[in-house]
Amino acid sequence: MRINYLLLIFILAFWGCNTHKFRMQKLNKYPMESILYAGVELDKQDLVSLLESKIDEAMSQPFTKGNIKVLATRNGHITIQFKEDQLYISLPTDIEANVNAFAKAAGTLQIQFKTSYRLEPDWRISTKTEPDGFQWIKEPKAEFLGIKIPIEKLSNAAVNQVAPQIAQTIDNQIDAMGNLKPTLDSLLQNISKPILIDTARNLWLSSKPTRMGIAPLFDSGRKILSSLYSEINFTVMYDKPPDLKIDLPPLEFQPYKKQQTKININGVFPADSITSIMKEELVGLEIPYKKKKVKIEDLNIDFAGRLLRAKIKVSGAINGYIDASGAPYMNEKHTKLLINDFDIELTGSNFLMRKGIQLFKKKIQNILQETINAQIHKLSTSTFAKIKEFSNTNKNKKFSPIIKPEREILFNFEIKEGSLLLQITLNGDVQIKIQANG
């Protein structure tokens, strides 16, 4: 399972386009990390079934110490309860103790266990299970050569042999199930590999978790509840970034306040990458002008301070170059990029009637705006398609995410050091179900 499955919520978004306010955008922080908060559910019966199978295996052979041989079998389902940092287990047991084949005691009792557990920063679960007393359900009877004898010593000896070994079985199983580090290390290395999300535009997605934690377990009766918290840096860029080995962040174990998941995708687009993407879309495009057409032959994008500039080579009704510039900004809802204070100049060109300049300028502005927003849309849908494809072929039986997104994607950007820094933000809710015996 890849932590990136949360990006699937992109497909449920819609794109707004109404605006009236003009303002420059500036990112408060870049890169902005994503906050992934997920409620976790573990069906208690899954854990009960797993422990019962291991306890039955441990009971399949007699327990022997000195001249006492004890036969034990489970008599009904175990019950478990989490309380604070303790797990309490109650095991109904049929027990028979034999001494040198002459004396024997048999009865049914409820053996209690108490397991202290701790989640370590290295992602291991350390446990210490101890017998926590017992209570007879069916009083044992003891005989020696057909004569009834006191059985307290014999029955207690039997319980004292069975309980510690069952406690060790519980510890071994929880330890085996709870060592998450190898799985997560492998998962993390897969996550850290860049994903090609758009072949035509050579766009890549990389991710790097920087913080991960889990909340204390809560017993709700039929389910064990918790929550996961992580901070991840998602970045989309032009050209493939190098593969990096990422270390698993230490596990934090503390209460986390329930909150929405916030996805921030950071896009890094230098001017030359914007130029390459825009050329794919605009070179060869013919723009109606009067009764003729203006054909875009070539273009180049650069940034000057916070201005976006385009040098466009044209032919047809106009032969020469159009130098266009404007201040990009987001609409009021942060769902679309627009350009303010847009202007054009003609260089190396034949004349253009003065009364037609304003109309043609508006056409150029609309083309640039629509193309940029179309690329943002394609970026999001391409990311979704690739994540969906990956998740369908890399399902993890232990983890089952349920995603409940909000209905709107938001954008923000900043032009800095010759690059367009783009952020795509989405809020939502995520629920994860865990299968103990998956």
Side-chain angles (χ1 to χ4, degrees), residues 253-303:
F253 185 62
Q254 58 180 290
Y256 290 101
K257 183 179 179 181
K258 185 176 181 180
Q259 58 188 286
Q260 283 188 316
T261 284
K262 182 183 288 291
I263 305 294
N264 292 298
I265 306 298
N266 303 288
V268 183
F269 298 98
D272 58 352
S273 69
I274 299 290
T275 296
S276 297
I277 293 173
M278 298 284 277
K279 278 185 177 181
E280 288 270 342
E281 302 299 318
L282 296 183
V283 171
L285 179 68
E286 294 183 336
I287 307 169
Y289 176 68
K290 296 185 179 299
K291 295 182 179 180
K292 298 182 180 180
K293 294 182 179 179
V294 177
K295 182 179 180 180
I296 296 178
E297 300 286 354
D298 197 7
L299 84 159
N300 185 71
I301 303 292
D302 66 18
F303 302 107

Side-chain angles (χ1 to χ4, degrees), residues 213-280:
I214 189 170
L217 305 179
F218 174 75
D219 195 324
S220 69
R222 296 181 60 183
K223 298 182 183 297
I224 301 165
L225 307 178
S226 183
S227 59
L228 296 176
Y229 177 91
S230 62
E231 294 180 6
I232 300 178
N233 185 345
F234 292 113
T235 304
V236 173
M237 61 190 68
Y238 189 81
D239 284 338
K240 182 180 180 180
D243 290 348
L244 299 174
K245 186 179 184 303
I246 299 177
D247 294 326
L248 186 66
L251 176 63
E252 301 175 21
F253 185 62
Q254 58 180 290
Y256 290 101
K257 183 179 179 181
K258 185 176 181 180
Q259 58 188 286
Q260 283 188 316
T261 284
K262 182 183 288 291
I263 305 294
N264 292 298
I265 306 298
N266 303 288
V268 183
F269 298 98
D272 58 352
S273 69
I274 299 290
T275 296
S276 297
I277 293 173
M278 298 284 277
K279 278 185 177 181
E280 288 270 342

Side-chain angles (χ1 to χ4, degrees), residues 52-82:
E52 284 180 347
S53 67
K54 297 303 178 182
I55 289 172
D56 289 345
E57 289 179 16
M59 287 180 168
S60 62
Q61 299 296 325
F63 299 86
T64 303
K65 183 176 182 180
N67 62 347
I68 300 177
K69 183 170 76 171
V70 179
L71 300 175
T73 55
R74 180 168 55 87
N75 182 352
H77 292 297
I78 68 173
T79 58
I80 64 175
Q81 182 181 20
F82 282 88

